[in-house]
Amino acid sequence: MSQHYYEFFCPVKVVAGKAALEHIPYELSGLSASRPMVITDKGVRGAGLLDPVIEACEEGGQEIVTIFDDVPPDSSKEVVRQIASAYREAKCDSIIAIGGGSPIDTAKAVNILVSEGGDDIAAYAGAGVLKRPLRPFFVVPTTAGTGSEVTAVAVIADTEKSVKLPFTSSFLLPNAAIIDPRMTLTLPPHVTAMTAMDAMTHATEAFTCLAKNPLSDAHATAAVRKISTNLPRVMENPKDSDARLELAQASTMAGIAFSNSMVGMVHSLGHATGAICHLPHGLCMSLFLPYVLEYNLEAIREPLGELLLYMAGPDVYATTPTSRRAETCIAAIRKLRDQLWQYCELPRTLQETGKVSEDQLEAIAHSALDDGTIMFNPKETSIEDIRNVLRRAWG
Amino acid sequence: MLAKRIKPMALQARRLYVETMFQVMGRALQAVSEVDRSVQEEARALPDGFLFEMTVMPNGPKLVVEHQGDGRFQYLTSEPPRPVDLSIQFKHIAHAFLVVSFQEKTSVAFANDRMLVDGDIDRAIRMTRILNRLEAFILPKLIAERAVKEYPQSLGLPEKVLSAARIYLKVATHFVETARAS
């Protein structure tokens, strides 16, 4: 009897496509919410991305009670406390997060405080602390990459203790994720490329790491197909709203996949490099993906070969011998990275970033070895293995 | 009829097996930290007094070890003196049995959501590496390959046999001392 076992959970309603924002008033009313607070950052407001949300709500008879638009890139306990206080003062009853990873994580933490009470978010840190549903919560992503709109985790910095507080609970998941092509239409090419490669990595690792399962596989393969087809289209023509929507949906699908099957060593290295060298997460993912796949090759030959169908299309898949499909899949990823270098000079090696020095590699290796995601990597990884991958990624 | 009578006995035997394995593993963790330099190096990164627990939900068998400092663990035979720092909790005795009977690798059990981690995940990864190293030493290679993600290529037969003998001797001595003390 097979020992295989898996769990899959995603209760988030996905509201996606043309005029999706205009569904917000109806969705709020369906949860008996009428006084939403918007949580976002200066970048989103500066890019004019609040306007279509506010217009859609006001036209639908839904007032936005208050807006907090000053979420920093690394949100802290203090910021969460401040926003929760503003929420209570304005007597809000629901939250709409608009932005990338930071506003979404911050809004998840704020929702804990305003639902459970108290001022200290640290009291709710850890796994499984929350025991009941929180206030109505919607997410409008403005990047196509993190997948935070469908993940049950949030990370908030405790600046006093210099630690990052993790929060894990299915109650952190939003009631709805609103995917509207208008929200990613003005994303700069460099950010578009990085975030799409983040989603590509989520999907690829979800499909090749230890906790892969049939349901996450379905989401992962669909996401890979959408990204490999539509990322070059968007880089060619950033105003292609159909291709933008495809990327945004792919990001959500990749998010559903990896939140149910976890990720591996690309993320271990990415988390470590991001923390030590302050490189954007998506860039780290793009940097390390082919090198880690090469390292894992013999352990993932079968799924990686299968992924070629979605990465390069049926013609390439059909004309590639089974024994060469995994290598060809890695080659297809390298080709995509070369294209991104042509379009927007997205670095392909650590050296090309110009922000990493060779003497930082040892610290990155040690930090990566202790990262939680290393557990789900299909190959057992030693410090020497990580050093080797880093040397190859150095360039 | 016979099956109905045998089933509770089988379940009891499974629980007893997990309890016994936890006692062996706890003592073996202490022993391997006295014998193996790699384990000592890994353990040195943990704070002194760090308490690690492996248990079965809700009130099943448990093993608790304390980091005494300098990479050495001590197996605690009684209740820990304070709340543990890191707890790995199997959701059911059946899941613990799969792992300690080497039908499911520890990493696969994590991937299959068989257990929860309460505490710092970095330290859980470190403790898993230590447990893997222990299993590579004390189990025959064929069985160890079922227990760990990858059997360490660098572990030669002489080192394995010698270390395993020292670990088993220490475990047996500890059992005898515990029995005498009680």
Side-chain angles (χ1 to χ4, degrees):
Chain A
M1 189 175 74
S2 166
Q3 295 284 359
H4 193 60
Y5 167 88
Y6 70 90
E7 293 179 5
F8 187 94
F9 183 70
C10 183
V12 180
K13 180 170 183 175
V14 176
V15 179
K18 189 177 164 65
L21 294 175
E22 280 70 14
H23 283 257
I24 294 175
Y26 173 78
E27 293 298 331
L28 279 169
S29 68
L31 294 167
S32 303
S34 57
R35 297 184 60 78
M37 172 189 216
V38 164
I39 297 175
T40 187
D41 60 29
K42 292 270 188 245
V44 170
R45 172 156 260 180
L49 294 174
L50 277 188
D51 304 339
V53 181
I54 293 169
E55 268 173 37
C57 287
E58 284 179 350
E59 204 182 348
Q62 176 63 65
E63 179 201 7
I64 301 290
V65 177
T66 183
I67 297 172
F68 185 94
D69 67 357
D70 202 12
V71 174
D74 285 313
S75 199
S76 67
K77 258 174 54 168
E78 182 49 33
V79 174
V80 171
R81 192 197 57 73
Q82 200 183 330
I83 303 174
S85 168
Y87 177 103
R88 288 169 183 141
E89 267 173 36
K91 295 187 168 51
C92 296
D93 62 6
S94 48
I95 295 172
I96 303 173
I98 306 174
S102 189
I104 298 173
D105 272 18
T106 305
K108 286 174 179 172
V110 170
N111 203 14
I112 296 174
L113 278 192
V114 298
S115 305
E116 293 290 309
D119 280 327
D120 184 11
I121 192 64
Y124 301 98
V129 177
L130 302 173
K131 302 292 181 198
R132 55 186 175 184
L134 307 179
R135 295 287 161 83
F137 174 40
F138 293 178
V139 170
V140 185
T142 58
T143 62
T146 67
S148 300
E149 67 277 14
V150 284
T151 62
V153 296
V155 178
I156 299 293
D158 182 339
T159 42
E160 290 157 27
K161 295 183 182 165
S162 297
V163 292
K164 288 196 169 180
L165 301 170
F167 302 84
T168 310
S169 167
S170 56
F171 296 122
L172 292 179
L173 285 161
N175 299 88
I178 320 292
I179 318 290
D180 190 302
R182 283 171 286 179
M183 302 308 283
T184 53
L185 209 54
T186 54
L187 211 57
H190 202 254
V191 181
T192 302
M194 281 193 292
T195 49
M197 288 306 285
D198 186 14
M200 178 69 100
T201 307
H202 289 154
T204 306
E205 291 213 291
F207 195 73
T208 53
C209 286
L210 279 187
K212 77 196 256 48
N213 65 70
L215 293 176
S216 70
D217 284 355
H219 287 86
T221 49
V224 169
R225 192 201 299 271
K226 281 184 188 299
I227 298 164
S228 58
T229 309
N230 292 287
L231 180 54
R233 275 177 63 190
V234 169
M235 297 310 290
E236 201 69 53
N237 176 16
K239 295 290 171 202
D240 184 338
S241 62
D242 288 343
R244 285 279 188 191
L245 178 62
E246 289 292 289
L247 279 188
Q249 289 176 102
S251 164
T252 301
M253 292 167 113
I256 293 171
F258 93 85
S259 62
N260 282 282
S261 60
M262 297 305 291
V263 283
M265 189 179 169
V266 185
H267 276 76
S268 319
L269 286 165
H271 293 156
T273 311
I276 293 167
C277 308
H278 308 290
L279 288 183
H281 177 71
L283 171 57
C284 295
M285 298 297 98
S286 183
L287 267 172
F288 290 122
L289 182 58
Y291 303 106
V292 172
L293 292 177
E294 279 163 4
Y295 163 73
N296 281 330
L297 185 59
E298 289 317 315
I300 59 170
R301 183 168 282 285
E302 198 184 321
L304 193 59
E306 204 184 317
L307 206 59
L308 177 65
L309 175 62
Y310 310 96
M311 195 72 77
D315 291 343
V316 174
Y317 183 80
T319 53
T320 307
T322 311
S323 61
R324 295 291 307 160
R325 281 177 182 156
E327 284 88 347
T328 311
C329 188
I330 298 175
I333 293 170
R334 284 183 176 279
K335 190 176 155 199
L336 180 60
R337 292 186 341 142
D338 290 341
Q339 282 178 301
L340 295 177
W341 173 259
Q342 298 294 329
Y343 285 126
C344 63
E345 296 197 349
L346 188 73
R348 294 159 295 182
T349 62
L350 289 166
Q351 256 192 107
E352 280 179 357
T353 66
K355 290 181 180 167
V356 182
S357 63
E358 219 167 348
D359 58 9
Q360 288 175 307
L361 299 187
E362 190 60 17
I364 295 172
H366 280 280
S367 175
L369 188 64
D370 280 345
D371 192 85
T373 55
I374 204 90
M375 177 70 81
F376 302 97
N377 196 63
K379 263 182 84 172
E380 183 69 70
T381 309
S382 67
I383 190 77
E384 198 47 43
D385 294 333
I386 296 180
R387 285 184 188 125
N388 285 337
V389 173
L390 281 170
R391 274 195 282 272
R392 300 203 54 191
W394 175 252
Chain B
M1 189 69 182
L2 187 65
K4 268 190 178 174
R5 280 191 188 163
I6 289 174
K7 200 169 181 192
M9 286 165 62
L11 294 178
Q12 191 60 34
R14 184 169 74 178
R15 179 169 290 269
L16 196 66
Y17 176 81
V18 173
E19 272 175 16
T20 309
M21 282 306 289
F22 273 15
Q23 287 183 25
V24 173
M25 282 167 65
R27 289 173 168 89
L29 268 172
Q30 178 178 323
V32 77
S33 74
E34 292 163 3
V35 166
D36 184 57
R37 276 192 192 165
S38 305
V39 167
Q40 286 165 4
E41 246 173 64
E42 289 276 16
R44 266 189 204 110
L46 302 168
D48 292 0
F50 174 82
L51 286 170
F52 167 70
E53 168 193 73
M54 188 177 263
T55 184
V56 180
M57 294 168 81
N59 295 307
K62 68 165 76 166
L63 78 83
V64 183
V65 293
E66 180 175 12
H67 179 226
Q68 301 275 291
D70 203 26
R72 305 294 173 104
F73 289 121
Q74 185 181 21
Y75 172 62
L76 303 187
T77 50
S78 53
E79 279 298 303
R82 54 188 179 280
V84 297
D85 300 289
L86 172 67
S87 177
I88 294 180
Q89 301 161 358
F90 288 97
K91 290 179 180 173
H92 193 277
I93 192 85
H95 304 147
F97 181 74
L98 283 173
V99 171
V100 298
S101 62
F102 316 112
Q103 296 176 63
E104 193 164 273
K105 298 174 196 293
T106 313
S107 53
V108 173
F110 268 115
N112 286 355
D113 282 309
R114 307 288 197 197
M115 47 219 202
L116 303 173
V117 175
D118 189 1
D120 191 335
I121 197 80
D122 299 10
R123 288 173 180 165
I125 299 293
R126 190 170 287 271
M127 286 307 300
T128 307
R129 279 202 299 272
I130 292 173
L131 282 166
N132 284 346
R133 178 93 179 152
L134 169 66
E135 286 173 332
F137 273 131
I138 64 172
L139 298 172
K141 189 177 175 188
L142 268 177
I143 298 176
E145 280 170 344
R146 295 168 62 101
V148 300
K149 215 192 273 181
E150 245 174 60
Y151 188 81
Q153 297 297 320
S154 57
L155 184 58
L157 192 62
E159 186 190 0
K160 179 184 170 79
V161 171
L162 201 66
S163 300
R166 292 175 68 193
I167 292 167
Y168 277 122
L169 186 65
K170 282 176 181 286
V171 169
T173 311
H174 196 282
F175 265 115
V176 171
E177 281 170 0
T178 311
R180 274 189 190 152
S182 58

